Amino acid sequence: MADAKVIPFDDDRPRGGTQRAGRRRSRPADAAGGVTPLPGGRQAADPDAPPPRRAAGAKAGGWEQRLAGGLAFLRRRITGEYEVDEFGYDEELTDQVLMSLLRPLYEKYFRVEVKGIENIPSEGGALVVANHSGTLPLDGLMLQVAVHDNHPAGRHLRLLAADLVFMLPVVSEIARKAGHTLACAEDAERLLARGEVVGVMPEGFKGIGKPFSERYKLQRFGRGGFVSTALRAGAPIVPCSIVGAEEIYPMIGNAKTLARVLGVPYVPITPTFPWLGPLGAVPLPTKWTIQFGEPIPTDGYAPEAAEDPMLMFNLTDQVREQIQHTLYKLLVQRRSVFF
């Protein structure tokens, strides 16, 4: 991750949450949560207001309420009465559609267990640094659902993705809508300065493309660019360990010649792919655990600390060791890959 200068903002809005760009509908001050005051202190639901975010484990309301909410959502999409921020993030679409599509995979298929979610601060910027594995980057998506559905302050994770993601048609547009942005220091610093929770997986393609024989062995974390980004923003670093993703596509080989022809980092060969055709692309239903570790503060360092290579090395090594130690601990506690 190359160092870059922070791009200043041109307004004085608070930085504690997501800034939004686009058309904003004006509403009475008392109607902030989708309700409109009526005489006698009663409140009526605003049909145009987005439905409240789904709490983890909460039961869905009646079909009438869901239908009304769905129709109001469709009307806002058709008329363009929705908002995106400067990175293309569409919070309403992410809450109502993208998370709903990913949630069955998260809850029923991988049965993700989340630990230490309280280590992500309730407000202000934070950098979540996680291991990367699984041949396809499903671990990043499950990490996003984990924060979205479990954090008590309802925080959203803004993932930094590789260039390849934004070169693919359709995938690029969906990634932007889901809040992902390019893995560069400039974008990361801008998000952290706005008080966002940013997610990075420093192993990159070396992590998700490693052979099955090297599972749960962390690859190189680059040159510590994520550490300098956190130092410049004064944001805490939250190490995160993910167990279960390594086994969804056991990579036993790599068709390197085909990968060069296609211009991709690797073409995986697994026990089921390409032998079973499209069926071989179905991930194995492993049991996942995602654990967020104790945050490492960075606000106590001087501004010039971001240029100290020795400090970069030490902090990078500290984060890497904490993730690796937690991975080993979770593996020892795990009784089965699938149960």
Side-chain angles (χ1 to χ4, degrees), residues 277-339:
L279 189 61
V282 177
L284 297 177
T286 57
K287 174 73 171 64
W288 288 34
T289 301
I290 298 178
Q291 179 160 336
F292 298 93
E294 291 284 339
I296 299 171
T298 64
D299 54 356
Y301 294 96
E304 60 271 15
E307 309 300 330
D308 185 345
M310 185 57 66
L311 178 61
M312 295 299 100
F313 175 82
N314 290 336
L315 284 176
T316 301
D317 191 57
Q318 180 183 351
V319 174
R320 189 178 182 278
E321 286 298 317
Q322 189 167 334
I323 294 173
Q324 185 70 80
H325 176 75
T326 304
L327 285 174
Y328 287 148
K329 184 174 69 174
L330 292 174
L331 288 171
V332 169
Q333 296 171 352
R334 184 172 69 167
R335 292 177 296 175
S336 168
V337 172
F338 298 102
F339 303 104

Side-chain angles (χ1 to χ4, degrees), residues 22-282:
R23 180 161 53 179
R24 183 181 300 275
R25 304 181 63 204
S26 61
R27 293 180 183 165
D30 292 336
V35 294
T36 304
L38 293 178
R42 295 178 294 125
Q43 291 180 328
D46 182 350
D48 293 333
R53 177 174 154 185
R54 176 189 185 275
K59 294 183 179 180
W63 68 268
E64 300 95 340
Q65 182 180 355
R66 284 181 286 170
L67 179 60
L71 291 174
F73 171 79
L74 287 175
R75 190 177 73 82
R76 288 191 298 274
R77 308 312 294 187
I78 294 171
T79 58
E81 297 178 5
Y82 59 91
E83 303 163 355
V84 297
D85 71 3
E86 60 188 286
F87 296 93
Y89 175 45
D90 189 330
E91 184 175 336
E92 184 187 27
L93 182 68
T94 300
D95 285 347
Q96 303 303 320
V97 178
L98 301 181
M99 290 295 107
S100 297
L101 293 174
L102 291 172
R103 196 169 284 119
L105 191 65
Y106 173 91
E107 292 180 346
K108 306 299 183 183
Y109 198 78
F110 293 135
R111 296 147 290 146
V112 181
E113 179 184 1
V114 178
K115 300 179 178 181
I117 190 69
E118 67 279 358
N119 287 319
I120 297 178
S122 297
E123 57 183 17
L127 185 67
V128 176
V129 181
N131 59 304
H132 206 12
S133 62
T135 306
L136 291 180
L138 295 180
D139 53 354
L141 298 177
M142 296 301 103
L143 182 61
Q144 189 175 9
V145 180
V147 176
H148 181 277
D149 282 6
N150 292 278
H151 198 280
R155 306 216 65 181
H156 294 258
L157 181 68
R158 306 292 296 272
L159 285 169
L160 303 179
D163 301 23
L164 181 61
V165 171
F166 301 102
M167 296 169 60
L168 299 173
V170 181
V171 173
S172 171
E173 183 66 19
I174 294 175
R176 288 286 185 188
K177 294 288 187 183
H180 305 176
T181 191
L182 193 64
C184 66
E186 180 181 291
D187 282 3
E189 289 174 21
R190 290 167 66 191
L191 287 169
L192 288 172
R194 289 169 35 165
E196 301 282 3
V197 179
V198 178
V200 63
M201 295 172 161
E203 292 176 281
F205 288 117
K206 300 188 301 294
I208 59 174
K210 64 177 178 289
F212 188 65
S213 59
E214 296 181 18
R215 60 193 179 278
Y216 297 113
K217 296 178 182 178
L218 293 182
Q219 304 299 299
R220 185 171 173 268
F221 267 24
R223 293 170 293 181
F226 69 91
V227 170
S228 72
T229 299
L231 283 170
R232 287 192 178 97
I237 300 173
V238 182
C240 177
S241 302
I242 304 173
V243 165
E246 294 275 15
E247 295 90 358
I248 60 173
Y249 296 111
M251 187 168 164
I252 58 176
N254 179 12
K256 295 182 179 180
T257 302
L258 181 58
R260 283 196 295 269
V261 171
L262 296 176
V264 294
Y266 55 86
V267 173
I269 299 174
T270 74
T272 59
F273 184 83
W275 328 113
L276 299 182
L279 189 61
V282 177

